[in-house]
Each structure stands twice: as C-alpha cells, then as structure tokens.
Amino acid sequence: MVTAGQSAVFGKRSEPHTVIIARGDEIRHFTVRPWLAALLGSTVIAISLGYLAATSYLVLRDNIISASAAHQARLQQAYEDRISALRAQVDRITSRQLLDQQLMETKVTELIERQSRLSDRHGRLGPLLDRAGREIAGQLPATAPLPARREKPEITGSIEPADKPVRAAAADASPFASWAPRTGEAEPLPAMAYAAAEPPASKADRSDKLFVTINRSLKAIEDDQLAQISQLADAASESADAISNALETAGLPVDLDLPQDGTAKSDVGGPLIPLDDTTIFDAKLKELDEALQVLSYVKQEARRLPLANPAPGHTVTSTFGVRRDPLIGSAAFHSGMDFRAAVGMEARVTAPGTVVKAGWNGGYGRMVEVDHGRGLSTRYAHLSGISVKVGQKVETGDVVGRTGNTGRSTGPHLHYEVRHNGTALNPLRFLKTGKAIARYL
C-alpha cells in the first residue's frame, strides 16, 4: 500500500534518507532531503576553497605587493622622466625664443638708429646738394651727372619674431657685421625626412633674409651718399683749381687766398688719424663744404674781374699795344681794344662796379668809366649816348651806353680799356681768361 508523501519513480517508491539517533531510551530521527544534502556539501566546499584561497593570499601577499610596488615605481619613474624631458625641452624653447627675441629687438633697434642717422645725414646733405647744384651744375662729366637729392629713406617690410634656430646667413661687410648668425642643435630628423625635399623657410629664416635685405639697402644708400659727396667735392675742387689756375696763368692782379688764410697750397702735414665708419660721413661732408666754400669764394672773386665781353659777337679791329696811329700814321700806343660796331649798339659793362665817370673826356669822346675795386677799372669810349650816371651801381652785362663815333675816332666803334691803378692792361688777357672759365661761372 502506497503512503501519502511517497514518490514513485518508474513505478518504484524512493524512500527519503532518515538519520536515527538513539541515546538510552531516547530515540531521535531526522529525515535528510536531497537538496539539503547538496546545500551542505556546497557549503563545505565553498568554505574549503575560501580557506585555501586565504591561505594562499597570506603566503603570496608579500610577493604580489612587491611586484605591484615595483610596477608602480617603474610607471612613476617613466612619467617623471617624460615630464623632465618635456620641461627641459620647454626650457630650451623658451630660452631660445628669449634669445631670438632679444637678438631681434637688438637688430630692430640698430636698424631704427641707422635709419635715424640716415635721416639726419639726409637733412644735412640736402642743403649741400642744393648748393652744389647751384655751384657746379653743368660742370660734371656727361657720364656723371649731378646726383639727385634723395628722399628720406624708409625701412619697409614685415619683421616676424623668430621661433626656432635658423641657418647661418652669408656674412656682410657692414656695421651689421657684428650680428653673428644664430646656430643651434636641431632635433634629429626621422630617416624619411632626409629623403624629403627641403622644408619651407621658417619665420626666423624670413626675418633674417629681411634683415639682410634692409641692411644691404641701407648700406647702398650710405655708399651712394658718400659717392655723391666725394664726386661733388672733387668737382668743386677741380672747378676752383681751374678758375684759380686760369687767373694765375693770365697774371691777373687778384688775391685768391681765402680770407684769413695765409698758408701756401703746398704746406701740408699732420698726424695720421684713421677714420671709422661713423666719422667718414662727417669728414666727407666737411670736405664737400670746404670745397664749396673755396669754389664759391673763387667764383666770387673771379666775377669781380672784368672778364666779360663788352661787345659779344663783334670782331676786334684794333688790339692793345703799339700800332700805327690811324690819324697821323706814326707809331703810337693803343691803350685798349676796338670792336667793330654800328652806331647805337649797346655797350655792356664787363664786371660789377660803380660808375666814376660818365661824360665827355677829350679824345675818348663820350666815355663811361666803371670802378670794379682793388684798383681795377674799365673804360667804354667813343659812345654816341650814355645810359648811366656817376655813382650808379652796375652789374655785369648792364648797358652803360651806345656806340658811336665821338672823340678822336675814324668811324663808329667801341673802344674798351682795362686799367689797374691807372695803368692800362691788355684786355685780351681778361677776355681769354673769361672765355676759359665761363662754364665754371
């Protein structure tokens, strides 16, 4: 008979496991279910595994901790090394940028100072160029025309700050020669980079090229200024020498030494004082100024001499010196020159001066005499009419009268004399000298 609670498997009943405990008269029994047995077994196994794991951890803990600490130390050391390398690289870049910035600022400052000097030179050179243009214009060779006055030089271009070392630039002989090209150790390039084309120029490269270009431009301006000054000084000296030599060769009675200058031209000497680049311009400028002063003084003195032609374009009919007198036929002294001229031709004064005589004067007929100073005077005789009066100031080329046939004369002409302290001189000497130096005056 099948009792309640019993299970049948394939037609058979499976009795539960029963544990009976007897102690004296007491009897106890427990029924053990299968799931309870499985739970107890699992618990025992789990406790055993936990015990074994705890035992293994206690045994291997020091090794695990040591390995973990070593790994952490290696990671920390690697990070610290990387941070140190990055910090050193940042310091190098910062220092390099500071040095490049300082160098750039120094170069810009020098360029500004140099431009300021050029502007100052331009201001000092301008008046001398204008003065030289008035004094020696047309006297320079055709291959070397009078230098034009330059406008104020300006520095143009964009100067970018340097951010990396640059390659050395070619040296330039100039005041910027002290600018040493920047050098630096470049970082190793990958192997493929060596086969690649050259990289484009950096900002520092472009800045250095711009500095070199500006430096050459300023150097060219300075050299051009010095060349202009030297050329003008040489032209002024040559003109002054030409005028002086012409007057000395003609034996004209005039003192051509500069005021308060009692030295001879051959008296030279003195210690050797080398000039640097900063003083060459001043020395050249002073040389030009002195040459222009000498030229101006010589031209001023030459213009005081009666060197012009009183009857330009008219031929000479009688020269200075002994000749046959046209009226009586005997030998006589002719104190001037006669120019063929019709009645009414203008007679022009040959140098600036003051009219001391204007009227009838014996055999001269109507005559005008002009005092030019330093004992020199000129006479214009046989005039048909007089255009000036005594005491009047006249300049070279002014009309003093018109030619005629008054006085001791055989026909209309202009009688012209040059006298020094009352002594008649040959006017031809003055005319030839005036023609020789006309282009300088």
Side-chain angles (χ1 to χ4, degrees):
M1 182 172 183
V2 179
T3 61
Q6 294 177 344
S7 62
V9 179
F10 300 106
K12 295 181 179 181
R13 292 177 297 188
S14 176
E15 296 293 336
H17 296 282
T18 302
V19 178
I20 300 174
I21 300 175
R23 185 181 180 182
D25 294 335
E26 296 180 358
I27 297 174
R28 295 180 179 181
H29 66 279
F30 301 93
T31 299
V32 180
R33 304 288 183 184
W35 62 269
L36 182 60
L39 178 62
L40 291 176
S42 299
T43 302
V44 171
I45 292 172
I47 292 173
S48 299
L49 291 176
Y51 176 78
L52 291 175
T55 303
S56 300
Y57 172 74
L58 292 176
V59 172
L60 301 176
R61 179 181 63 182
D62 293 340
N63 293 334
I64 294 174
I65 293 175
S66 298
S68 177
H71 180 67
Q72 293 293 332
R74 287 194 298 272
L75 291 178
Q76 182 177 1
Q77 183 65 32
Y79 287 141
E80 290 179 353
D81 291 342
R82 181 60 178 170
I83 291 173
S84 298
L86 292 175
R87 183 180 292 113
Q89 185 177 2
V90 169
D91 292 340
R92 287 196 303 271
I93 294 176
T94 303
S95 300
R96 185 180 303 159
Q97 288 179 342
L98 290 176
L99 291 176
D100 290 345
Q101 182 179 0
Q102 292 176 356
L103 181 61
M104 196 74 65
E105 291 175 353
T106 300
K107 291 182 178 181
V108 171
T109 301
E110 291 184 10
L111 284 177
I112 293 175
E113 292 177 353
R114 190 167 181 180
Q115 183 191 15
S116 177
R117 290 195 301 269
L118 282 176
S119 299
D120 178 67
R121 291 181 178 184
H122 173 80
R124 296 168 58 190
L125 183 58
L128 279 181
L129 286 179
D130 294 338
R131 180 181 170 190
R134 294 189 301 268
E135 294 289 345
I136 61 177
Q139 300 171 28
L140 295 176
T143 56
L146 183 66
R149 179 174 176 179
R150 286 183 175 268
E151 296 298 328
K152 177 180 178 181
E154 294 290 346
I155 295 178
T156 58
S158 173
I159 300 176
E160 300 174 344
D163 56 358
K164 63 171 65 177
V166 296
R167 293 181 295 275
D172 190 82
S174 67
F176 288 85
S178 59
W179 291 3
R182 291 173 289 168
T183 58
E185 291 295 329
E187 305 235 350
L189 296 175
M192 296 177 60
Y194 291 99
E198 184 179 356
S202 65
K203 292 182 179 179
D205 291 328
R206 293 193 296 270
S207 299
D208 273 359
K209 290 179 180 178
L210 180 59
F211 276 121
V212 171
T213 302
I214 295 175
N215 176 36
R216 290 177 179 173
S217 176
L218 295 179
K219 186 66 168 58
I221 294 175
E222 291 177 346
D223 293 342
D224 186 47
Q225 287 181 338
L226 293 178
Q228 290 180 14
I229 295 173
S230 298
Q231 183 182 9
L232 293 176
D234 292 342
S237 298
E238 291 175 1
S239 298
D241 291 342
I243 297 173
S244 301
N245 293 335
L247 294 177
E248 290 178 0
T249 301
L252 301 183
V254 61
D255 182 11
L256 294 179
D257 289 334
L258 288 176
Q260 300 179 356
D261 184 3
T263 59
K265 293 183 179 179
S266 60
D267 296 339
V268 294
L272 173 63
I273 303 177
L275 297 177
D276 54 24
D277 292 337
T278 59
T279 57
I280 288 179
F281 180 83
D282 293 335
K284 289 289 185 180
L285 204 64
K286 182 179 180 182
E287 178 183 349
L288 174 59
D289 182 62
E290 292 176 350
L292 291 177
Q293 286 183 1
V294 172
L295 176 59
S296 177
Y297 176 77
V298 171
K299 291 172 70 173
Q300 179 182 359
E301 292 301 306
R303 290 191 181 103
R304 293 180 180 178
L305 299 174
L307 303 178
N309 193 324
H314 293 265
T315 59
V316 176
T317 58
S318 181
T319 58
F320 175 86
V322 178
R323 67 170 182 176
R324 181 180 298 273
D325 185 81
L327 296 179
I328 63 175
S330 62
F333 178 74
H334 188 220
S335 58
M337 294 179 63
D338 292 338
F339 293 87
R340 178 179 289 112
V343 176
M345 185 200 74
E346 295 177 343
R348 300 182 179 275
V349 69
T350 56
T354 305
V355 178
V356 294
K357 292 181 181 180
W360 192 270
N361 189 8
Y364 287 100
R366 291 187 179 92
M367 183 195 76
V368 173
E369 183 173 356
V370 179
D371 182 15
H372 304 288
R374 297 190 178 183
L376 285 172
S377 63
T378 54
R379 292 180 177 181
Y380 311 84
H382 307 306
L383 302 177
S384 60
I386 296 177
S387 305
V388 294
K389 57 184 178 180
V390 176
Q392 181 178 338
K393 300 292 184 180
V394 292
E395 297 295 332
T396 303
D398 288 349
V399 177
V400 295
R402 297 185 178 276
T403 58
N405 189 28
T406 61
R408 195 170 184 271
S409 171
T410 60
H413 68 281
L414 173 65
H415 177 84
Y416 172 65
E417 290 186 7
V418 178
R419 291 180 175 267
H420 181 244
N421 294 329
T423 303
L425 302 177
N426 188 355
L428 186 60
R429 290 164 44 196
F430 292 83
L431 295 179
K432 287 183 177 180
T433 303
K435 186 176 181 180
I437 65 175
R439 68 188 186 95
Y440 300 105
L441 301 180

